[in-house]
Amino acid sequence: MRLSKNLNYLRPIKTNNLFRLGKKLDGGYVVQSKVFKNIDTVLSFGLGSDFSFEKHAFKLNNKLNIIIYDHSVNVFFFFKKLLKSIKRIFYFKSNLDNVVDKFNTFFDYILFFLVNKNGKHIKNKIVKKILFQNESDFKSVFLNLKKNILLKIDIEGDEYQIIRNIRNFYHEIHILIVEFHGLDKNRKSFKNDIFLLKKFFNIIHIHGNNNDTLCNDKLPKVVELTFLNKKIYPLNTKKFRKSFPIKNLDFPNHKYKKDFILKFQ
């Protein structure tokens, strides 16, 4: 089923050399390979329980600075998930594969953020304006960063509080990835934010997150968007890619559910 023309403001511009960073489930995102080669810093707002995106980026270029801001997790968070998985075996609610997976994640966190000098997890919340000690705003984040930045934002709905601040730092951001949530309830804010971002960036990829459902107009309630800085990387804005997902590039966030099909006009 085709999406309404009213949603054409989300049509990605066609570009080549797209590839996936991160795993083939929730946590993986699509970027442009030639632009990725110019990146000095991967900056992520939101860590949660998965950092396959950042690990993959560092595997491809071990000179990258990887900086993640997330106030909600730490090393004990991953250790508790491991212990919980072990305990659940005795109630037949877990299995050895799950325990191994949780152990690997716990061990990877230690190696990546506590041992690796290029990986940094800052346990602060990203906010519009700093009010408390465990908070950071865009100005404090960008103060000492190298200039060629890939910024990934996945902060479970709080993106609407901070997204407009990107306009003050867009010239340093080569690739921007944002997961927008609650498009059924936040559609006005979402649309306004997209039109603001499109002043500085071109959309090159979209994917619907099938962990949630669809809005009334068939747009997924959660969408993942990849943008390129339009000043640094000008594109032919008359050529669009109209059908998603892209085979062998996009994969369902929830592996037991069908991926959402998006067809633009």
Side-chain angles (χ1 to χ4, degrees):
M1 182 175 179
R2 292 189 178 276
L3 297 172
S4 166
K5 284 186 177 180
N6 294 330
L7 296 172
N8 276 356
Y9 65 92
L10 294 172
R11 285 187 307 182
I13 293 174
K14 192 171 184 179
T15 183
N16 297 321
N17 303 306
L18 296 178
F19 79 105
R20 187 178 187 87
L21 271 179
K23 62 186 181 182
K24 295 180 180 180
L25 288 170
D26 203 14
Y29 297 91
V30 173
V31 300
Q32 215 267 8
S33 60
K34 290 185 177 180
V35 179
F36 178 74
K37 291 178 181 179
N38 297 328
I39 297 299
D40 295 320
T41 299
V42 172
L43 175 64
S44 293
F45 295 164
L47 171 62
S49 59
D50 177 77
F51 47 96
S52 63
F53 179 90
E54 291 79 11
K55 282 172 55 184
H56 190 184
F58 189 71
K59 182 178 180 180
L60 295 177
N61 180 1
N62 62 12
K63 294 182 180 179
L64 283 174
N65 288 314
I66 310 289
I67 304 172
I68 300 179
Y69 283 79
D70 194 322
H71 66 294
S72 64
V73 300
N74 54 34
V75 66
F76 299 106
F77 168 85
F78 294 99
F79 182 64
K80 288 177 182 178
K81 288 179 76 71
L82 172 60
L83 286 182
K84 184 177 180 180
S85 182
I86 294 172
K87 290 179 180 179
R88 285 169 64 90
I89 283 183
F90 298 100
Y91 300 98
F92 305 102
K93 294 181 178 180
S94 182
N95 55 51
L96 187 58
D97 287 342
N98 187 269
V99 172
V100 171
D101 180 64
K102 295 296 186 296
F103 174 81
N104 288 337
T105 302
F106 170 63
F107 191 67
D108 283 349
Y109 180 89
I110 293 174
L111 288 179
F112 200 76
F113 295 109
L114 302 183
V115 177
N116 175 21
K117 65 179 181 179
N118 289 68
K120 184 183 295 185
H121 173 199
I122 299 173
K123 300 171 187 66
N124 281 8
K125 182 178 181 179
I126 298 297
V127 295
K128 183 178 180 179
K129 183 179 180 181
I130 297 175
L131 297 176
F132 300 101
Q133 188 173 1
N134 67 331
E135 294 178 339
S136 297
D137 59 8
F138 268 79
K139 185 177 181 180
S140 62
V141 168
F142 278 78
L143 187 62
N144 296 311
L145 289 185
K146 291 184 178 180
K147 301 303 181 184
N148 302 336
I149 297 168
L150 185 162
L151 172 59
K152 176 174 72 73
I153 302 175
D154 182 5
I155 49 178
E156 306 302 323
D158 286 343
E159 59 272 12
Y160 300 106
Q161 305 299 320
I162 65 165
I163 206 77
R164 301 186 75 81
N165 290 340
I166 288 177
R167 60 186 165 185
N168 298 319
F169 303 92
Y170 77 93
H171 51 283
E172 300 175 14
I173 302 169
H174 288 223
I175 304 174
L176 172 66
I177 299 170
V178 187
E179 182 165 286
F180 287 95
H181 301 78
L183 300 193
D184 54 334
K185 299 176 181 179
N186 301 304
R187 184 61 66 89
K188 184 177 180 181
S189 296
F190 169 72
K191 190 172 182 178
N192 289 338
D193 287 345
I194 293 299
F195 278 104
L196 172 69
L197 290 175
K198 288 180 68 173
K199 293 180 180 179
F200 313 108
F201 301 90
N202 286 314
I203 299 174
I204 63 165
H205 186 264
I206 185 170
H207 182 253
N209 187 324
N210 69 341
N211 277 311
D212 211 323
T213 56
L214 297 173
C215 300
N216 291 334
D217 59 359
K218 306 304 178 184
L219 185 67
K221 291 180 181 178
V222 180
V223 296
E224 304 158 355
L225 291 167
T226 302
F227 303 80
L228 286 190
N229 189 305
K230 61 166 49 176
K231 184 176 182 180
I232 304 173
Y233 307 102
L235 299 173
N236 184 341
T237 56
K238 294 182 180 180
K239 292 185 177 181
F240 299 98
R241 190 184 296 272
K242 299 182 180 181
S243 183
F244 296 85
I246 302 173
K247 188 176 180 180
N248 298 323
L249 184 67
D250 291 315
F251 299 90
N253 297 69
H254 192 303
K255 64 180 179 180
Y256 297 118
K257 296 180 181 179
K258 288 185 177 180
D259 218 349
F260 292 133
I261 295 175
L262 306 179
K263 290 187 180 294
F264 293 96
Q265 299 191 42

